[in-house]
Amino acid sequence: MKVLQFGWEMAPHIYGGLAVASYGITKGLAAQGDVETTFCLPHPFGDEEKHMNYVAMNEVPIVYRDYSYDDLKAKLQNLTPEQYYQFRDHLYADFNYMPVNELGALHFDPGYGSHLTEDINNYSIVAGVVARTLEFDMIHAHDWLTFPAGVHAKQVSGKPLCIHVHATDFDRSRGQVNPTVYGIEKDGMDNADCIMCVSELTRQTVINHYHQDPRKCVAMHNAVYPLNDDYKAIVPNKNPKEKVVTFLGRITMQKGPEYFVEAAALVLQRTKNIRFCMAGSGDMMDAMIKLAAQKGIADRFHFPGFQRGKQVYECYKNSDVFVMPSVSEPFGIAPLEAMQCGCPSIISYQSGCGEILEKLIKVDYWDINAMADAMYSICTNESLYNYLKDEGEKEVETITWEKVGLRIRQCYDMLLKKGYFNNDDYLRNYIPWKD
């Protein structure tokens, strides 16, 4: 089976959770043994893991350029001259008015640039060339940024379209939805044959707010990969006289950072031997620094900034409690990563990962008293700490990307065999996490 996937980021270049999920999903599909994935990226760096084929969308021509083989070899970084010629043979419209470069291709900034809406449209134009060139059985588009590309590819090829909803604008904006983003999301969902949602929580948002047929919507939870040897070897650096409670993620209103600070203030009314760490960056960071100062707890609060790679796992291992107080979290991989590192976790009931996790504490994001009680209890009750630490590690071991890949393969098979997706039929053959 050949699958054409459209994505926006890919590990090891991580700008958000989408890179981690895209990597895990494609690795899980590769583990099936008979799924060949071609993954389109706006701006690959060339050091992405080679478990699949890549298309550098910033090197695919949309305007004809006449270059010799040797000239192309010198100019191309990710595509081969053969691939370039192949794409050039499938130009489908006159795009000479577009701001193309010397290759006749469009520029894309790494990550999420200041012209994101324009980049999304340009990406879908390039997708038209790719879909006319390559052979594939299935289209899989990740998140709203690539939905227009997926829809275009479906219109060109007639192949089934799966879209993967990693988050909706209802989650990102606390309900203050951007009509442009909503329109892109809605159009992608309307044209999709199967809508994969990272949780049942997200599935219900798709059904109720985007008015989608429940039968074509499926909850496809995320997972984690086992820790590599480098991360396993990290030795925790802890002060035996103090405990550390950590928030790690984007410091934005979706993640509920103010509730973490409020709960921390309540904990520090009971004890002074706990420190709080708010790791990450975002538009609410300055406000959280000020809030900690207003609460009189700035001396117990640390803001180390954005963490990446090994730093993330050092942060987990140096912490005694991880807290994710999200207001609306479609899934949330961070608690799984923390639990892998032996760090007991607290999450909000409004987090999708709570649908598959049991060995942690769940509270409503707004209930700062319950959140503070949970923090304090884990820090002061050694038996509770050890139970959540040990059982959490065991639980996360059962939640693998290979199982996600198998589930997605089941969806593909149904679409190709029946010509449609039905969630009720899928659930009859559901692969449980804990088997």
Side-chain angles (χ1 to χ4, degrees), residues 194-251:
C194 174
I195 303 174
M196 297 182 183
C197 308
V198 292
S199 62
E200 182 62 29
L201 181 74
T202 304
R203 180 173 177 268
Q204 290 303 319
T205 299
V206 167
I207 292 167
N208 296 319
H209 291 292
Y210 294 84
H211 315 295
Q212 297 300 309
D213 184 344
R215 291 171 296 183
K216 74 173 187 178
C217 303
V218 56
M220 190 63 64
H221 296 95
N222 287 328
V224 284
Y225 261 104
L227 293 179
N228 62 37
D229 291 339
D230 193 25
Y231 294 164
K232 284 181 182 177
I234 296 172
V235 178
N237 180 19
K238 292 185 176 182
N239 181 347
K241 296 181 180 180
E242 291 186 322
K243 302 294 184 180
V244 176
V245 179
T246 294
F247 169 111
L248 191 153
R250 287 182 291 112
I251 306 177

Side-chain angles (χ1 to χ4, degrees), residues 97-356:
Y97 66 92
M98 298 288 288
V100 296
N101 58 23
E102 61 178 354
L103 290 169
L106 290 163
H107 171 79
F108 294 98
D109 289 324
Y112 304 89
S114 57
H115 305 289
L116 189 56
T117 303
E118 182 182 345
D119 285 346
I120 292 167
N121 179 65
N122 291 347
Y123 185 90
S124 71
I125 290 173
V126 183
V129 176
V130 173
R132 287 169 169 84
T133 305
L134 303 181
E135 293 184 2
F136 51 91
D137 305 297
M138 181 72 55
I139 306 161
H140 193 147
H142 293 276
D143 235 14
W144 68 282
L145 307 124
T146 72
F147 289 174
V151 172
H152 191 172
K154 177 182 178 179
Q155 292 169 341
V156 167
S157 65
K159 301 297 184 181
L161 170 63
C162 288
I163 64 169
H164 215 113
V165 182
H166 296 269
T168 72
D169 208 45
F170 281 90
D171 302 301
R172 291 183 290 267
S173 67
R174 284 195 189 176
Q176 303 300 311
V177 177
N178 181 320
T180 299
V181 176
Y182 178 88
I184 294 172
E185 291 175 329
K186 180 76 162 60
D187 186 62
M189 294 175 192
D190 289 344
N191 284 280
D193 298 285
C194 174
I195 303 174
M196 297 182 183
C197 308
V198 292
S199 62
E200 182 62 29
L201 181 74
T202 304
R203 180 173 177 268
Q204 290 303 319
T205 299
V206 167
I207 292 167
N208 296 319
H209 291 292
Y210 294 84
H211 315 295
Q212 297 300 309
D213 184 344
R215 291 171 296 183
K216 74 173 187 178
C217 303
V218 56
M220 190 63 64
H221 296 95
N222 287 328
V224 284
Y225 261 104
L227 293 179
N228 62 37
D229 291 339
D230 193 25
Y231 294 164
K232 284 181 182 177
I234 296 172
V235 178
N237 180 19
K238 292 185 176 182
N239 181 347
K241 296 181 180 180
E242 291 186 322
K243 302 294 184 180
V244 176
V245 179
T246 294
F247 169 111
L248 191 153
R250 287 182 291 112
I251 306 177
T252 63
M253 62 181 179
Q254 179 191 348
K255 302 295 183 178
E258 68 270 38
Y259 300 104
F260 179 79
V261 178
E262 295 279 0
L266 293 177
V267 172
L268 291 171
Q269 290 177 6
R270 304 189 208 181
T271 179
K272 296 299 181 184
N273 68 337
I274 298 177
R275 290 189 178 274
F276 293 85
C277 172
M278 181 167 280
S281 59
D283 59 9
M284 289 184 68
M285 184 170 180
D286 288 346
M288 294 304 99
I289 294 172
K290 290 178 182 177
L291 181 59
Q294 290 169 0
K295 293 288 180 181
I297 58 174
D299 62 322
R300 310 302 296 173
F301 241 92
H302 302 267
F303 294 88
F306 184 77
Q307 306 291 293
R308 56 168 51 87
K310 190 176 181 180
Q311 293 175 319
V312 172
Y313 292 89
E314 288 173 340
C315 194
Y316 290 142
K317 289 208 170 188
N318 291 336
S319 302
D320 299 282
V321 184
F322 172 77
V323 184
M324 188 177 75
S326 298
V327 175
S328 181
E329 187 70 54
F331 184 77
I333 291 177
L336 284 75
E337 295 173 337
M339 292 162 72
Q340 275 186 313
C341 295
C343 183
S345 295
I346 302 167
I347 65 171
S348 68
Y349 280 118
Q350 293 72 26
S351 302
C353 62
E355 295 168 11
I356 60 171

Side-chain angles (χ1 to χ4, degrees), residues 398-399 403 407 410 429-435:
T398 68
I399 302 174
K403 288 181 182 177
R407 291 169 173 173
Q410 285 182 302
N429 299 302
Y430 182 73
I431 307 299
W433 289 119
K434 303 171 179 66
D435 50 12

Side-chain angles (χ1 to χ4, degrees), residues 362-380:
K362 303 172 191 177
V363 298
D364 286 306
Y365 72 86
W366 44 262
D367 194 343
I368 58 173
N369 290 292
M371 195 182 302
D373 286 344
M375 293 175 180
Y376 182 80
S377 296
I378 296 173
C379 287
T380 58

